[in-house]
Amino acid sequence: MPPGPSSAEGPVAAAALPSLRRRITAVLIGTQILGGLGVAIGIALASVLAQQVSGTEALSGLAPTSMVAGTALLSMPLAALMTARGRRPGLVLAYVIGAAGAGVVVLAAVAGSFPLLLVGMAAFGAGSSANLQARFAAADLAEPAHRGRAISTVVWATTIGAVLGPNIAAPAGRSVTGLGVPAAAGPFLWAAGVFLVSAVMVALLLRPDPLLTARALAAGTEEDAQAGRGRSLKAGIRAVRESPRARLALVTVTASHTTMVSIMSMTPVALSHHGAGIELIGLVISGHIAGMYAFSPVMGWLSDKLGRLSVIGLAVGLLSCAALLAGTAGGSHVRTAAGLFLLGLGWSAGLVSGSALLTDSVPQAARAAVQGLSDLTMNTAAGIGGAAAGLIVAGAGYGWLNAVGACLLLPLAVLALRSPSKGR
């Protein structure tokens, strides 16, 4: 068989593509498990550490907020790097920045500097950026008919790290007590090591680069010729503006993520107001995380079999039901738990189908830029939503927060109903 198009790192024969896809996916799953573990082990005690360093509970929420802000702010520079150089250098840099941020958090804890802690948490958010971008790396070489499953497989891998992380936080804290480091900062020291291992894995094993290989395979095609106006971020924005389905995809991931983060962030407070203890709150949040990640392969399969629009509709339905259940639960902890589980499922359906549709709907050359724009938009909106959620609950109550979350889905529902079934 004649060789296929060459990537920047060597020729790729068409017959070798299936094995290459499997190998790239395996590497991404491994780094996603480690990256998810690093993020989860760090944020498990982020609020506690912020309270200890600042000396007040009122500022404890700024630590996770800084992480979300850092994830959003770093999305575009990392996307620009990937657009120019490929997935590998972008993911490596993201993990290295995340490790450096974790180190700064530890230094801030030792020095007792709250501003330095916030800077470290913002850089730590790069680890989350790497995890988000990994789902798109899985889609680079996937066949269009299997793109949803490729994305969902990598998203599913986060489940392992997300579950293990909080359970490792306590021993990680105890491991540094003899070093003069506060126990609440210990998980960040471990997270730094995990991120560095992830960076090494990507640098050594993610070869050939999936994005550059995909571009080489698309070279000379009509799609590639149409995308020949450049691979800049400006070109990515233009690609979204010119594609109604890309706009729908962007609204899908943004609305799903913002609704989920806004409601989830204040659910522990609502549960505590109704007498729930730490153990019960942890169980509810664990169920929510299971809904987010554990069933993502199902969402990927449905997205490929039934179509992206069908699963986007499912996301709207699940998120709406979640808001209804949680918002009217009152003192029923079981009802709140059911609502949070559906909230996770709805987020999974929206993220997987929206990410697949976004990749489907823009030219190959503009995809990395568009995907970075997607992560910037969803994390910025979620950061604003998380901050506003506290004000809404304080002023009107948890039920109204869920009502507002449901209203965020209305533009998504309208766009989905008006979207053409095919084409860009």
Side-chain angles (χ1 to χ4, degrees):
M1 181 176 293
S6 298
S7 76
E9 299 173 7
V12 177
L17 277 176
S19 62
L20 178 58
R21 291 188 186 105
R22 290 192 294 270
R23 184 162 59 81
I24 292 295
T25 299
V27 173
L28 291 171
I29 288 174
T31 56
Q32 192 79 342
I33 291 172
L34 289 175
L37 176 63
V39 171
I41 195 176
I43 64 174
L45 295 177
S47 298
V48 174
L49 181 60
Q51 180 179 348
Q52 292 177 0
V53 173
S54 67
T56 173
E57 184 177 330
L59 298 179
S60 61
L62 290 181
T65 300
S66 294
M67 177 184 165
V68 173
T71 301
L73 291 174
L74 290 166
S75 295
M76 290 305 277
L78 291 171
L81 177 60
M82 292 183 192
T83 297
R85 303 285 299 278
R87 298 291 183 191
R88 189 170 63 252
L91 291 175
V92 168
L93 180 61
Y95 282 127
V96 169
I97 294 175
V104 171
V105 169
V106 175
L107 290 176
V110 174
S113 173
F114 187 66
L116 187 61
L117 175 69
L118 297 183
V119 172
M121 286 301 303
F124 183 76
S128 183
S129 293
N131 284 355
L132 288 170
Q133 283 293 320
R135 76 190 192 276
F136 290 125
D140 286 334
L141 292 175
E143 295 173 304
H146 299 150
R147 195 167 278 153
R149 273 177 281 184
I151 292 172
S152 64
T153 299
V154 173
V155 172
W156 171 85
T158 310
T159 309
I160 300 174
V163 171
L164 288 178
N167 294 293
I168 296 176
R174 290 192 296 268
S175 70
V176 300
T177 53
L179 303 176
V181 176
F188 288 93
L189 197 59
W190 282 39
V194 169
F195 284 158
L196 289 177
V197 172
S198 298
V200 171
M201 285 183 62
V202 170
L204 296 180
L205 302 178
L206 198 66
R207 295 176 182 272
D209 189 286
L211 179 59
L212 299 184
T213 302
R215 284 179 179 168
L217 292 169
T221 64
E222 179 182 356
E223 178 184 13
D224 186 69
Q226 292 174 348
R229 290 177 290 177
R231 292 173 176 143
S232 66
L233 296 180
K234 183 178 179 180
I237 295 173
R238 182 170 58 240
V240 171
R241 189 172 62 244
E242 294 175 351
S243 171
R245 287 167 69 83
R247 293 197 294 272
L248 170 61
L250 192 63
V251 172
T252 297
V253 295
T254 301
S256 300
H257 194 57
T258 304
T259 299
M260 184 277 290
V261 170
S262 301
I263 295 175
M264 179 273 296
S265 64
M266 296 308 298
T267 298
V269 175
L271 286 169
S272 64
H273 286 168
H274 291 285
I278 294 177
E279 293 81 5
L280 179 57
I281 292 174
L283 186 62
V284 171
I285 297 301
S286 294
H288 169 68
I289 292 173
M292 288 176 64
Y293 297 117
F295 295 89
S296 58
V298 176
M299 300 305 175
W301 181 81
L302 290 174
S303 179
D304 289 337
K305 289 297 182 181
L306 303 181
R308 320 300 190 210
L309 294 181
S310 297
V311 181
I312 288 174
L314 176 62
V316 172
L318 288 170
L319 291 168
S320 299
C321 289
L324 177 63
L325 280 173
T328 60
S332 173
H333 298 153
V334 172
R335 189 164 181 168
T336 301
L340 264 289
F341 176 73
L342 290 180
L343 187 71
L345 277 182
W347 175 88
S348 180
L351 185 76
V352 170
S353 61
S355 299
L357 180 63
L358 188 70
T359 305
D360 293 341
S361 304
V362 296
Q364 169 63 53
R367 281 177 187 167
V370 170
Q371 290 157 353
L373 176 65
S374 170
D375 284 353
L376 169 66
T377 304
M378 66 183 268
N379 283 292
T380 300
I384 295 172
L391 298 176
I392 295 173
V393 170
Y398 181 68
W400 277 103
L401 171 63
N402 281 270
V404 172
C407 288
L408 293 176
L409 302 171
L410 292 177
L412 171 57
V414 171
L415 280 176
L417 289 173
R418 296 176 59 184
S419 177
S421 60
K422 293 183 180 181
R424 288 191 183 130

